[in-house]
Amino acid sequence: MKYISTRSKIKPITSAEAILQGLAPDGGLFVPEKIPKVKLDEIDALKEKSYEEISAWLLGKYLTDYTADELGECAELAYNWFDVHARVPVSILIQDPSNPVAPVGNMELWHGPTSAFKDVALQMLPHLMRMALQKVGETKKILILVATSGDTGKAALAGFADVPQTKIMVFYPEDGVSKIQRLQMVTQAGDNVNVTAVRGNFDDAQTGVKKIFGDKKIRAELDKLGVKLSSANSINWGRLVPQIAYYFSGYVELVKANQIQLGDKIIISVPTGNFGNILAAYYALKMGLPVKKLICASNMNNVLTEFFATGTYNRKREFYKTITPSMDILISSNLERLLYHESGGDFRQINRYMGELNSRGKYTVDKSLKSRLDKIFHAEYVSEDDTRLFIKRIYDSFKYLIDTHTAVSICALSKYSGRTNDLTPVLNASTASPYKFTGAVLEALEKSAEGVDDLDQLALLNKVTNSKIPKNLAALSAAQILHSDVCDKDEMPERVLKFAAK
Ligand SMILES: *Cc1c(COP(=O)(O)O)cnc(C)c1O
């Protein structure tokens, strides 16, 4: 399997090269030349496999320049750290078949070392990169640059800390992440890590990082320092591909729990920001996983809801800071891959759309592309009040605690079934532990967290709900703060060069 760019005709490259480069030289994203197909009996056989085995199996479909042994090793090393044996368990929230509401399998993607779904990919990526360096005979150091809206940063730091031949630098919006997310990042140990706050929002940080990637002068200076840039953002193919696996495992979990039979179609709902997680679900669908609809759930930053409703993507709009900060995004980078595939690989068209997005802040897809998207996607956005309401409702009904992002996608689902009366069983992507967003979760449960310190909120939520505090979060109160750098977005290039030279 070779990889090509979404924006122009480039010489196809191997997956190891695509993973090391992150972004294509023309500014596009790497995509597989074609999407591999999977038959139902192959899905059936996954019932007997561990999560690690399912992961290695899925990776083998796309990363054909890695051996099965290498992929098995990557999966073992990545998921070793997860705090439950199932790695990605599915909790069934509605089991009563006479209940006129479809069963919801809540796929818990947050049992990794930082309690958010990004661990699933970011515990894997460093190992894929380390092996890729060997494969292409690269002797330079790789510098991973990350712009984060919160969870990516810590998950990437945890994945790359002290991995040989790598350095990692994380930029986060100074006021755009939760206190716990910030603490998780600024307490990260490791000789090869740097964490810097940017004055601005997530898009400022992400645009800054993208500019550095596109800047030939900076690249040349880094080259002199023996350093090559790469990304761990969800635009990197090595970030995306490990995520496809859990849609297969989640499906199989629903079969094993007797919620569906093999071959039955399901609905998948995903709380969406940069469009990476839901894009992985799209790849699973295209590969042959029986999926009827993908629900793209957004918060008040509803640029994607509007896009799927109208065909116009317009990033010129007010930016809201919400209780789902990991979805506070106006430019969903991975959407480009979807448009590429659904336009039948028409890179000229994609290039035009992305050019318009850059110059005019918006673009409109043509009618035939729009109608193809309509067949697969349904989009909804959710208010802050409804987000809190669903945390409370799910807790009251099932004594099951969800975080704000998970509440957005469950609420979007209920809006969808309200509109359509569709009772197809559901797999919901649950993306963070409720303990990462204690303030908003406590408020939703009508327990005042006002004036309570962030770390004390962990204990309070534990007391109120009697659920378990993830180990890594419980350890935060004793951890030392190691990073306090802050910069303006224009200063990002010089900060990068300084850290690269260190
Ligand atoms: C990153 C993140 C999302 C959004 O995922 P995308 O792949 O960026 O769409 C949703 N919820 C949480 C908790 C996240 O960390």
Side-chain angles (χ1 to χ4, degrees), residues 20 129 133 140-144 165-167 228 230:
L20 288 178
M129 278 194 173
L133 286 170
K140 286 206 172 75
K141 267 199 179 158
I142 290 283
L143 170 57
I144 306 294
Q165 226 183 322
T166 71
K167 284 185 156 206
K228 268 183 91 146
S230 192

Side-chain angles (χ1 to χ4, degrees), residues 211-243:
K211 266 197 193 137
I212 293 169
F213 273 109
D215 188 329
K216 291 210 173 76
K217 244 177 71 193
I218 297 176
R219 280 182 178 258
E221 283 185 54
L222 288 171
D223 205 61
K224 277 190 239 150
L225 297 167
V227 171
K228 268 183 91 146
L229 284 185
S230 192
S231 100
N233 274 74
S234 64
I235 50 178
N236 190 307
W237 181 252
R239 258 296 291 286
L240 207 97
V241 69
Q243 300 182 350

Side-chain angles (χ1 to χ4, degrees), residues 130-368:
R130 180 169 58 77
M131 288 179 186
L133 286 170
Q134 286 169 10
K135 285 182 195 300
V136 306
E138 179 60 69
T139 53
K140 286 206 172 75
K141 267 199 179 158
I142 290 283
L143 170 57
I144 306 294
L145 276 192
V146 179
T148 185
S149 54
D151 291 329
T152 313
K154 176 61 183 184
L157 289 163
F160 279 96
D162 293 326
V163 171
Q165 226 183 322
T166 71
K167 284 185 156 206
I168 175 158
M169 185 164 196
V170 171
F171 291 101
Y172 69 94
E174 192 179 22
D175 300 316
V177 300
S178 79
K179 277 189 201 156
I180 285 183
Q181 286 175 323
R182 183 202 313 259
L183 265 180
Q184 282 188 304
M185 289 191 276
V186 299
T187 58
Q188 177 66 50
D191 284 343
N192 62 340
V193 308
N194 175 282
V195 180
T196 299
V198 179
R199 295 186 190 97
N201 62 33
F202 170 68
D203 286 324
D204 292 324
Q206 175 160 264
T207 307
V209 163
K210 276 190 176 170
K211 266 197 193 137
I212 293 169
F213 273 109
D215 188 329
K216 291 210 173 76
K217 244 177 71 193
I218 297 176
R219 280 182 178 258
E221 283 185 54
L222 288 171
D223 205 61
K224 277 190 239 150
L225 297 167
V227 171
K228 268 183 91 146
L229 284 185
S230 192
S231 100
N233 274 74
S234 64
I235 50 178
N236 190 307
W237 181 252
R239 258 296 291 286
L240 207 97
V241 69
Q243 300 182 350
I244 304 172
Y246 51 69
Y247 289 105
F248 284 91
S249 89
Y251 182 90
V252 167
E253 288 300 314
L254 288 179
V255 174
K256 289 203 282 195
N258 289 322
Q259 298 298 322
I260 56 170
Q261 293 191 334
L262 185 75
D264 287 353
K265 289 202 170 179
I266 60 167
I267 287 172
I268 295 176
S269 186
V270 185
T272 296
N274 217 9
F275 210 77
N277 200 3
I278 194 167
L279 185 74
Y282 165 82
Y283 278 112
L285 176 157
K286 285 283 158 179
M287 291 174 76
L289 190 70
V291 177
K292 179 174 173 187
K293 261 292 162 344
L294 298 176
I295 300 193
C296 175
S298 298
N299 61 25
M300 294 299 289
N301 295 296
N302 57 2
V303 60
L304 285 166
T305 319
E306 185 181 277
F307 170 70
F308 283 110
T310 65
T312 296
Y313 193 100
N314 185 357
R315 74 177 163 91
K316 286 198 183 150
R317 58 180 62 232
E318 200 174 330
F319 177 80
Y320 299 99
K321 280 186 197 169
T322 70
I323 54 174
T324 45
S326 299
M327 302 161 73
D328 289 346
I329 287 176
L330 296 182
I331 303 175
S332 299
S333 306
N334 266 302
L335 186 64
E336 181 171 345
R337 284 189 165 111
L338 172 69
L339 299 181
Y340 176 85
H341 290 300
E342 285 300 307
S343 70
D346 187 349
F347 56 78
R348 286 186 188 85
Q349 198 179 11
I350 305 309
N351 208 1
R352 199 169 63 241
Y353 294 154
M354 295 306 133
E356 284 170 14
L357 183 63
N358 213 358
S359 60
R360 298 174 35 219
K362 63 177 185 174
Y363 61 88
T364 301
V365 296
D366 72 28
K367 278 213 182 73
S368 66

